[in-house]
Structures are given as C-alpha cells and as structure tokens.
Amino acid sequence: MAAPPSTARKFFGRMSLPERNFVVDALRAETVGGVLLLVAAIAALIWANTLPDSYETVSHYHFGPAALGLDLSVEHWAADGLLAVFFFVAGIELKRELVAGDLRDPKAAVLPVVAAVCGMAVPALVYVLTSLAGGGSLEGWAVPTATDIAFALAVLAVIGTSLPSALRAFLLTLAVVDDLFAILIIAVFFTDSINFAALGGAVVGLGVFWLLLRKGVHGWYLYVPLALVIWGLMYNSGIHATIAGVAMGLMLRCHPHEGEEHSPGEHIEHLVRPVSAGLAVPLFALFSAGVSISGGAIHDVFTRPETLGVVLGLVVGKAVGIFGGTWLTARFTRASLSDDLEWADVAAVATLAGIGFTVSLLIGELAFEGNTSLTDETKAAVLIGSLIAAVLATALLKLRNAKYRAMCEDEERDEDLDGIPDIYEQDNPAYHLRMAAIYERKAAEHRRLAEVAGGASEGNDGPA
C-alpha cells in the first residue's frame, strides 16, 4: 500500500479567523501603547538632558505611607507599582495563550517557546562573554534578554512597514513567552531576602482573590482594594511587587462559558490594557529612560564591558538566538516555512525583537541597584542597543515591504462585503454564489456602458 502523502506543518501559515481577529485587536492596542511609550522615552531624554536637576528632583521625590513600608520615590512607584499593572496584563495574555492561543497546542507552541528561550539564552551568553573578556561585572546578564513588543510595534507603525499577521502573531506570542521567563528571572535572581510573614499574607490574599473568582463574585470595589493589599504585602516580602500582578492575571478565567461572548479574562484585559499601555508603561518610561546622552556617555557605552555586553546582546544575541531557535525547530520537526515567506523574513523579525525597553530597563535597575553610574549607563546601553536593532530591522523589512503589502492586501480583501476576508471563505459555496452575482452585475454594467458608448459613436458619424 502506498504511503499517505506528507502533511508537514508550515510555520507562519494562515491563522484561524477568530485567532486572527484577536491578534489584530491586540496588536492595534499594543501599537498605540508603543507610540505613547516612544513619546514618553523621548520626553524623558529631553527633560533629563535640558533640566537635569528638575528631573532628578521629581524622580526622587518620596511619598506614601511609611508605616506600611511604602514611602517610595516617584521612580520607585513607577517601577514597582505601575509596572504591576503591565505585568497583570501580561499574566492575562499568557493565560489566554495557554488555554486558547498558540501555546494550547504543544506542536504549535514548540516554535515560539524554543525561539523565545534561544532569544533569551544567546543574549545572556553574549553579555557574559563580553563582560568576561573586558573584566566587567556579570550581574547584568539578564538585561538584554527581554523584548518590548509595544516598542517593536511602534517602530513598525512609525516606519510604515506592512507585516503579515502571521509574523506579527509570532512576534506577539514570542513576547508573551519572553515576559514569562523575564518574570521568573526577576523572581528567582533578584530576590535578596524574604519576609515570610508578608509573603504568607500575600499568598493568603491571592487565595482569597482566586476563591472570589471561582465563586463568580463581581464588583471592582472588592477586587481593586484586595489587589492593592496583595501588592503591598508582596512588595514588603522582598519579592519584586510586579510578581503579584502576574499571579492575579494568571488566575483569571480566559475561556468563555456557554452563553458568554467573552471570558472574564478577556473582558478585564480589555478594560485594563488602556491603563497599562496608555498610562502605566509610559510613566515608567518617563521616570526610567531619563539618562544623560553625550559624546562621552556614548563612548562609555561602547567601551565599558557591561554596557557593550547589553548592546551586543540586544543587537546580535537576540537576532541570532531567535533566528537560530526557529531554524532548529524547523530542522528537527521537519516543518517548513509558509510558501509566501523566506528565511530573510524570519531574520528581520528576529532583529526587530532586539528592541528591549520596559523589562530591560527594570532588570537593569535591579541588577545594578546601588550603583547609580552603572545603572544610568546600562539604561543608555538599552536605548542605544534598541535603536540600532530598530534601524537594522527597518532596513531588512523595507527590502521585502512590497511583498508584505501584497500579502496584507490579500488578507484584508473582502469583495463581497460580508465582514469576513475572502481568503477565509474559499471553501464556502455561498461565498462563490455571492461573488458570481457580483461579477454578473459588473458584466451587465460594462455591457450597458459599451452600448451607450456605441450609440454615441453612431450618432456622431454625420458631418459637423
């Protein structure tokens, strides 16, 4: 008996329509947030370099209840408080990917997981080798491991590059896995001491949060105060307070029950994402990205082993790691790229993933806490490395932009105006009947115009 035909999987092929719609909506929100993030970063640089004393005064202004251990600076509130909202949304995104997205299917999850792991391991290795070669500190090994999806999408929006939805979805899923490992790195490697009483209180609070969710209790007036208590206890436990946001995000149900249009997780994410993307992350950028930029500062970035390691990790390590992880996955799973794409497209996306900002800045502050000079230089290295990665990615993406634009037009075409892209209706007989009727109307209109034109021509045959 003849062997059945091969049905090798294709990477970056067409997504299902519901998944595509979700990705389009999520990416639209991330893009808007990324543009705000970009504006905030530029504002921080201008403020810190034109009025440095004012920037320092505002950033280091302390407020909050000292009796609760929360008398923090503005910069500290932004990093530990506002970013908890960002990580709460990241937790919901991760939960959704695990129960309804690409990470639900082990076969489909292999690619983004392997690519993300390699895209974090290789930059860390590049940093370590660079730092060892120059006799620098190894404490910043985790700084270049994170990808900032919002900033990457903002770059795409600014340069006007059309990127097929499959590649954008890969970038989004990659960033979700990236965030998960970044969270683990923060929790495991940047916790010096633990206050077990406060940690126990946070765990009890999370248990109450989970119980209320499972009982179907509604009311923001219950959950918001409880979330603030959990956050405060987590902060005082010694574990980075953003972990509380992730934990609560992961507890939300992200698959709809019968009769529900959206799951609670999707509904809450829809409500909280604008706060995260439009307020929390830009404010964090405003008070974290303000570093002195001068010829001497830039020279120091490229001559100090720690900062050079960050730049090379973002620009070289991320691109090599993600591209290599994708290629290895294809090599050992016998999968292949979509017929419309080439490996050059994967290289461009891998280079774009070298834009590290929010989490990289946060890890830089944690890694070199107490060393203000090195912290500021590391922030500058993150900004410079991200800028170089953005420029390289722009050049690579522009080479194929005509192809991307054609693919996007095919994905969006809806000639029968039923709200569903035509590419998803090729197996639907009703679609072909509608298109036949449309073409018949167009043909009838052309015949009518031809007859009118012919009649006008006959009427003008006589002498003037």
Side-chain angles (χ1 to χ4, degrees):
M1 180 181 290
S6 173
T7 56
R9 285 194 311 115
K10 296 282 187 181
F11 287 155
F12 312 118
R14 190 193 311 163
M15 297 179 292
S16 67
L17 184 59
E19 184 69 11
R20 172 192 173 277
N21 291 339
F22 174 84
V23 167
V24 167
D25 291 341
L27 291 174
R28 186 181 297 116
E30 291 281 8
T31 301
V32 173
V35 172
L36 294 174
L37 182 61
L38 186 60
V39 171
I42 294 172
L45 290 172
I46 294 173
W47 186 5
N49 285 275
T50 55
L51 299 169
D53 293 338
S54 168
Y55 185 82
E56 288 293 316
T57 300
V58 175
S59 296
H60 296 145
Y61 177 77
H62 279 67
F63 67 96
L68 299 178
L70 297 174
D71 182 20
L72 311 178
S73 67
V74 171
E75 183 180 8
H76 208 162
W77 275 110
D80 287 72
L82 293 178
L83 278 195
V85 179
F86 166 79
F87 278 104
F88 174 70
V89 174
I92 299 175
E93 289 177 341
L94 177 61
K95 179 67 173 289
R96 187 202 166 275
E97 287 291 333
L98 289 170
V99 301
D102 285 345
L103 300 183
R104 178 185 75 256
D105 178 7
K107 291 182 179 179
V110 168
L111 176 61
V113 169
V114 172
V117 170
C118 293
M120 299 185 81
V122 176
L125 179 61
V126 168
Y127 175 92
V128 168
L129 293 176
T130 304
S131 196
L132 285 175
S137 169
L138 300 182
E139 293 179 347
W141 64 270
V143 175
T145 59
T147 293
D148 195 306
I149 181 63
F151 223 139
L153 292 172
V155 170
L156 289 177
V158 170
I159 66 177
T161 298
S162 301
L163 198 63
S165 57
L167 286 177
R168 288 178 181 255
F170 170 68
L171 192 60
L172 180 63
T173 307
L174 183 79
V176 170
V177 180
D178 193 295
D179 285 342
L180 168 64
F181 286 107
I183 291 160
L184 294 175
I185 287 172
I186 291 170
V188 174
F189 295 100
F190 296 103
T191 299
D192 295 327
S193 60
I194 297 179
N195 181 330
F196 286 99
L199 180 60
V203 171
V204 170
L206 288 170
V208 174
F209 189 87
W210 179 85
L211 188 62
L212 291 174
L213 290 173
R214 289 299 169 272
K215 294 294 184 181
V217 177
H218 298 283
W220 64 268
Y221 47 84
L222 292 175
Y223 288 102
V224 172
L226 179 58
L228 292 174
V229 170
I230 294 170
W231 176 86
L233 288 168
M234 189 68 76
Y235 175 83
N236 282 285
S237 74
I239 296 176
H240 201 270
T242 53
I243 304 301
V246 177
M248 287 183 279
L250 287 171
M251 288 182 180
L252 292 173
R253 176 168 57 83
C254 290
H255 57 278
H257 285 168
E258 186 176 353
E260 289 182 339
E261 184 177 355
H262 300 289
S263 67
E266 291 173 320
H267 177 66
I268 293 173
E269 181 185 11
H270 179 73
L271 295 175
V272 178
R273 184 184 287 277
V275 178
S276 171
L279 181 66
V281 177
L283 281 177
F284 167 76
L286 183 64
F287 293 108
S288 292
V291 294
S292 175
I293 299 295
S294 63
I298 295 174
H299 176 268
D300 290 342
V301 166
F302 288 99
T303 55
R304 188 161 186 165
E306 295 91 345
T307 49
L308 180 59
V310 170
V311 173
L312 292 178
L314 289 171
V315 177
V316 178
K318 273 289 183 182
V320 171
I322 293 173
F323 182 87
T326 305
W327 184 86
L328 288 172
T329 304
R331 174 69 176 81
F332 289 103
T333 62
R334 299 181 182 275
S336 60
L337 288 179
S338 168
D339 295 335
D340 295 323
L341 299 173
E342 299 178 3
W343 283 106
D345 303 314
V346 180
V349 172
T351 304
L352 186 67
I355 298 174
F357 190 77
T358 306
V359 180
S360 290
L361 291 177
L362 175 61
I363 294 177
E365 292 180 355
L366 297 173
F368 300 113
E369 189 174 8
N371 189 336
T372 304
S373 174
L374 186 51
T375 298
D376 287 346
E377 290 179 0
T378 300
K379 290 179 179 180
V382 170
L383 295 174
I384 291 171
S386 298
L387 178 61
I388 295 172
V391 171
L392 291 175
T394 298
L396 294 173
L397 291 168
K398 284 295 186 181
L399 293 175
R400 295 267 292 165
N401 199 38
K403 176 67 174 178
Y404 298 153
R405 191 179 298 113
M407 292 176 66
C408 288
E409 289 174 356
D410 286 340
E411 290 178 0
E412 298 294 333
R413 186 175 294 112
D414 182 19
E415 293 187 359
D416 61 342
L417 303 177
D418 67 341
I420 300 174
D422 296 340
I423 199 170
Y424 288 95
E425 296 192 284
Q426 297 303 309
D427 297 328
N428 183 0
Y431 161 76
H432 293 287
L433 290 174
R434 289 195 300 272
M435 292 306 301
I438 290 171
Y439 291 143
E440 179 57 35
R441 285 197 298 272
K442 288 181 178 179
E445 180 64 15
H446 284 303
R447 286 194 295 268
R448 186 186 68 79
L449 292 174
E451 290 172 359
V452 170
S457 175
E458 290 174 3
N460 292 329
D461 284 347

